[in-house]
């Protein structure tokens, strides 16, 4: 997805927005488009009682309506229609256009956005740090001083250390067509910055899946396979080439098996996939099939539904999948013809030359003739996974007996220290039975995303190609110049040229709150001789913002002209254009305008703007999208109708490869699905790895750091995070109404609570090798015994010069900073802890 920034001065606000959106009357013409409605029913749409009350009073001036959207990172970009009075938003309607099964309606979080916009906690002025890094002491400064300081520090960093010392931190708070791009565009014009590979969402999966399903690295410029000379399929976790859509499951599946996937929590709005999944459930159960949800907790997706919950110990999905493979091989249920034709490495018949005759095949591994000589029977997997052996056999039989099993994984299972193996092991299920590329089936990946981006984003061309695996940034601050391709996974170069000395952090809380091991981050970032300058842009004072040297107040997207393509719904795609709905408070400005001013200090303003204002860029990007698309309304029309939607067809992952593997090879070296990867074997042989770091050419079960078997007397419980409905990561984390409806609580099984004398609602202390949090206990059989669960994203609240005990219950106080072996990624769902009454 892309991101955006907008901007509005007081003058353009009055002139451009209110006037153009006020009570638009004419109906839009495009499919599903329509004008904002002048007479909404606020009580039906807005949970916002204060606002509803206000709307019932005699209006001081006619309402104006502005379209905008929710741009946080749960991917929805759900629709807002803001009703404003006297230049302030007073209440919100969401999408009420077109077919009501295709409405991009905001969830409760989005519907609380007015509280964020009008919050007394908004940052209002540029500030500079006056206390120690991380202390949170700031002093108001002018925009001129802020811009001068940033320009000076940039020049100093470039002169002293080079552009590779500049890093744009991972940050996902703003998905709009001008999101993080203004900063990236500015820095690119100044010589560039260190890139990042992968992301916090799918780090392990993104790194490893290309070895199985193919990588863009094996393609030439025309998309042809470099060795096979045919158009090939490259891997992205974010499209519908490698994965099937939920709409395909609805159309034709008779069994849905989900590993670590909870759309009711992670895909909540109408422009997300939760509604899609409701349709899947109805269709699949309607044709006599079922939904099986494999998770360490009974998540919100399956809670209250007839789905089967298969509780599993976190980090052990690969053991479960191996045992299912055992059952299928023992019962002669694998599709040998598919495996021989489409895959490499199932058994000796298709092993690559370099590994032939050495008992290195997948079948060897499963049947006990491989490197560990262990048969992966259900009885073997039962104590590891916590799932009884009979249940595993039953699951194996159910999947083998289905005509069109739709096997998919969320990203929870891969966000573990052994995530690279887990994510491939889950894909082995459809591969082994040849249920790939056929109607109603899936590839084992997450349900697909619509591939269509109706509009692009502000262009960025970074002249620097070198990238760090995204989770490695803290190591790169600490000892970047010692990091190489083989000891740290550096991408595009043999080594880093410099430590990171300048961090640009726009719309992100990944400096501390959302990164691993906050106590360690504090130690490294508070040493000003390491990273010498940090600029943070946010809308409220977050934990990361406390580490800023210069802290800038951003205008929010509902306070600017805003545009973005819709999110994850697989039934339609859409674009929303509109705003501003209200004036930005204080001295808040858009990052586009500020970056243009910084560019001016380097004599690069013209290069930065190309003669366009912020709003003109949005129009330009829209018109480019419309021209490429052919069906989108004109700029004038879209401004009036606010939203344009278009249905998307169901998609079957790897369908082309299945139908003709010679014509549509995968972009793996062999052009086939590589169950055994020679490339991974080479990496395992050549990379510098610690003793506990293992890279496997096969999708095997390895417990991983702080995985199965790692609990100790001091830390006797496993602990796992999950994405919570009350926040989007840390975004919305300061809105009390949301916290009240979905509390920050430690999930703990009654058996574990009883031995610790913990009752539901008690405050508990959770300690890990990295730190300590305080949190309320939720004693519930919805979590397996021996594992506790903590919603990620709660705001870190600790005295970092004192005891560092985190009263906010942020899970990253407990995570240990140890990048995974292959991806060097955030296996942060793997933790060990102790819990005691506080
Ligand atoms: N409400 C809300 N929605 C969000 C977000 C948010 O913070 N809040 N974040 C958004 C973003 S950026 C992303 S990347 C996605 C994240 O989407 P995911 O990564 O899929 O979300 P998680 O909650 O981490 O994991 C999904 C499920 O996996 C379970 N799980 C964890 N470990 C294991 C395991 O080892 N095995 C099995 N079988 N299950 C396991 C969790 O209990 C959870 O129910 O969500 C997006 N949507
Ligand atoms: N332990 C653990 N850690 C995790 C995860 C996990 O599962 N477990 N999940 C990881 C994942 S998948 C992700 S994607 C990351 C997400 O981590 P982040 O990308 O840091 O996402 P948020 O926490 O939502 O922070 C977004 C920030 O953007 C700010 N923001 C919102 N709107 C605006 C705006 O208009 N302008 C500006 N300037 N700022 C704005 C918000 O106030 C907030 O501070 O977290 C990761 N961290
Ligand atoms: S689902 Fe996500 S994008 Fe949609 S309204 Fe809710 S928080 Fe916003
Ligand atoms: Mo994410």
């Amino acid at each position: 997805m892309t991101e955006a920034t907008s901007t509005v001065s007081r003058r353009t606000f009055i002139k451009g927005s209110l006037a153009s959106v006020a009570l638009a009357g004419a109906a839009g013409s495009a499919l599903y488009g329509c004008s904002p409605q002048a007479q909404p029913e606020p009580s039906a749409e807005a949970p916002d009682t204060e606002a509803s009350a206000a709307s019932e009073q005699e209006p001081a001036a006619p309402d104006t309506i502005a379209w905008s959207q929710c741009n946080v990172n749960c991917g929805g970009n759900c629709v807002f229609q803001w009703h404003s009075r006297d230049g302030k938003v007073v209440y919100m309607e969401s999408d009420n256009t077109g077919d009501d099964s295709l409405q991009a309606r905001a969830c409760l979080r989005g519907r609380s956005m007015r509280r964020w916009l009008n919050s007394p906690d908004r940052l209002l002025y540029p500030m500079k740090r006056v206390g120690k890094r991380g202390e949170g002491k700031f002093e108001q400064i002018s925009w001129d001083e802020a811009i001068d300081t940033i320009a000076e520090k940039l020049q100093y960093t470039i002169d002293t250390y080079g552009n590779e010392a500049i890093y744009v931190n991972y940050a996902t708070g703003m998905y709009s067509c001008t999101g993080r791009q203004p900063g990236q565009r500015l820095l690119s014009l100044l010589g560039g910055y260190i890139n990042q590979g992968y992301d916090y969402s799918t780090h392990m999966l993104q790194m490893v899946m290309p070895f199985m399903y193919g990588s863009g690295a094996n393609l030439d410029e025309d998309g042809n396979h470099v060795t096979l000379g045919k158009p090939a399929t490259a891997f992205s976790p974010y499209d519908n080439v490698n994965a099937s859509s939920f709409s395909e499951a609805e159309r034709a599946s008779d069994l849905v098996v989900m590993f670590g996937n909870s759309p009711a929590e992670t895909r909540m709005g109408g422009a997300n996939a939760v509604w899609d999944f409701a349709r899947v459930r109805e269709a699949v159960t309607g044709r006599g099939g079922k939904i099986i949800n494999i998770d360490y907790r009974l998540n919100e997706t399956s809670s209250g539904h007839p789905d089967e919950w298969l509780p599993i110990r976190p980090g052990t999905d690969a053991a479960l999948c191996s045992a299912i493979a055992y059952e299928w091989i023992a019962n002669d249920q694998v599709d040998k013809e598919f495996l021989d034709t489409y895959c490499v490495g199932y058994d000796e018949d298709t092993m690559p030359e370099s590994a032939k005759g050495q008992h290195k095949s997948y079948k060897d591994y499963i049947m006990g003739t491989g490197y560990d000589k262990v048969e992966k029977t259900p009885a073997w997997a039962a104590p590891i996974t916590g799932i009884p052996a009979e249940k595993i056999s039953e699951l194996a039989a159910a999947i083998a007996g289905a005509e069109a099993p739709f096997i998919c994984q969320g990203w929870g299972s891969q966000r573990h220290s052994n995530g690279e193996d887990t994510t491939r092991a889950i894909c082995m299920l459809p591969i082994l039975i040849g249920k790939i590329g056929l109607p109603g089936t899936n590839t084992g990946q997450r349900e697909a995303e619509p591939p269509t981006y109706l509009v692009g984003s502000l262009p960025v061309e970074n002249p620097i190609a070198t990238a760090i695996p995204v989770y490695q940034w803290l190591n790169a601050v600490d000892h970047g110049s010692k990091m190489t391709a083989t000891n740290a996974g550096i991408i595009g170069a043999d080594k880093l040229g410099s430590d990171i000395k300048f961090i640009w952090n726009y719309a992100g809380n990944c400096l501390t709150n959302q990164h691993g091991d906050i106590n360690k981050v504090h130690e490294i970032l508070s040493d000003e001789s390491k990273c010498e300058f940090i600029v943070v842009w946010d809308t409220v004072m977050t934990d990361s913002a406390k580490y800023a040297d210069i802290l800038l107040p951003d205008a929010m997207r509902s306070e600017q002209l805003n545009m973005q393509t819709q999110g994850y719904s697989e039934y339609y795609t859409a674009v929303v254009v509109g705003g501003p709905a209200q004036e930005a408070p204080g001295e808040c400005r858009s990052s586009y305008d500020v970056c243009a001013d910084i560019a001016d200090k380097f004599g690069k303003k013209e290069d930065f703007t190309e003669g366009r204002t912020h709003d003109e860029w949005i129009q330009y990007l829209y018109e480019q999208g419309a021209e490429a698309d052919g069906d989108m309304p004109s700029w004038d029309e879209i401004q009036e109708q606010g939203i344009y939607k278009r249905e998307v067809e169901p998609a079957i992952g790897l369908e082309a490869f299945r139908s003709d593997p010679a014509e549509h090879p995968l972009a793996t070296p062999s052009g086939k699905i590589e169950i055994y990867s020679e490339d991974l074997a080479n990496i395992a042989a050549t990379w510098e790895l610690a003793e506990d770091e293992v890279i496997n050419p096969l999708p095997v079960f390895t417990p991983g750091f702080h995985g199965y078997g790692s609990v100790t007397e001091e830390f006797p419980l496993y602990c796992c995070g999950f994405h919570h409905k009350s926040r989007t990561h840390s975004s919305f984390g300061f809105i009390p109404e949301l916290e009240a409806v979905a509390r920050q609580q430690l999930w703990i099984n009654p058996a574990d609570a009883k031995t610790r004398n913990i009752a539901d609602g008690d405050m508990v202390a959770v300690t890990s090798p990295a730190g300590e949090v305080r949190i309320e206990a939720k004693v519930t059989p919805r979590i397996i015994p021996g594992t506790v669960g903590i919603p990620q994203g709660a705001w870190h609240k600790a005295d970092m010069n004192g005891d560092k005990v985190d009263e906010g219950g942020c899970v990253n106080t407990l995570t240990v900073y140890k990048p995974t072996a292959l991806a060097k990624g955030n296996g942060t769902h793997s933790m060990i802890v102790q819990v005691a009454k506080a």
Side-chain angles (χ1 to χ4, degrees), residues 73 170 200-201 729:
N73 180 22
Y170 184 69
Y200 281 51
S201 313
H729 307 293

Side-chain angles (χ1 to χ4, degrees), residues 476-601:
V477 169
D478 189 58
H479 54 266
S481 38
K482 297 200 181 83
M483 290 165 70
T484 68
T486 54
N487 73 16
I490 300 307
I491 305 156
D494 291 340
K495 62 189 289 292
L496 285 188
S498 168
D499 297 352
I500 290 172
K501 293 290 181 185
F502 184 116
I503 296 178
W504 183 281
N505 190 75
Y506 177 84
N509 204 354
C510 280
L511 288 178
T512 58
N513 219 81
Q514 297 307 112
H515 187 69
D517 201 338
I518 293 175
N519 291 333
K520 178 162 189 159
V521 176
H522 174 80
E523 193 186 303
I524 293 176
L525 288 190
S526 52
D527 180 346
E528 291 168 42
S529 72
K530 289 185 171 160
C531 182
E532 295 182 21
F533 193 74
I534 302 175
V535 54
V536 174
W537 310 55
D538 213 300
T539 59
V540 286
M541 178 63 81
T542 64
D543 197 58
S544 292
K546 291 183 188 153
Y547 291 80
D549 296 301
I550 293 282
L551 176 53
L552 302 175
D554 207 15
M556 294 193 67
R557 286 310 183 282
S558 291
E559 294 160 350
Q560 318 173 19
L561 178 63
N562 187 24
M563 173 172 83
Q564 175 69 345
T565 292
Q566 225 71 58
Y568 290 131
S569 168
E570 296 148 56
Y571 288 82
Y572 65 97
T573 184
V575 59
V576 173
V577 179
Q582 72 173 18
E583 188 178 333
E587 294 180 14
C588 288
R589 295 180 68 197
S590 85
S591 66
Y592 178 86
D593 285 353
V594 176
C595 288
D597 287 351
I598 300 172
D600 201 22
K601 299 282 170 199

Side-chain angles (χ1 to χ4, degrees), residues 43 75 82 125 132 179 293 303 322 345 462 473 594 652 676 731 806:
S43 53
W82 284 117
Y125 312 100
K132 283 192 280 190
N293 199 317
S303 174
S322 298
N462 182 5
W473 72 266
V594 176
I652 303 175
Y676 177 95
S731 290
D806 174 9

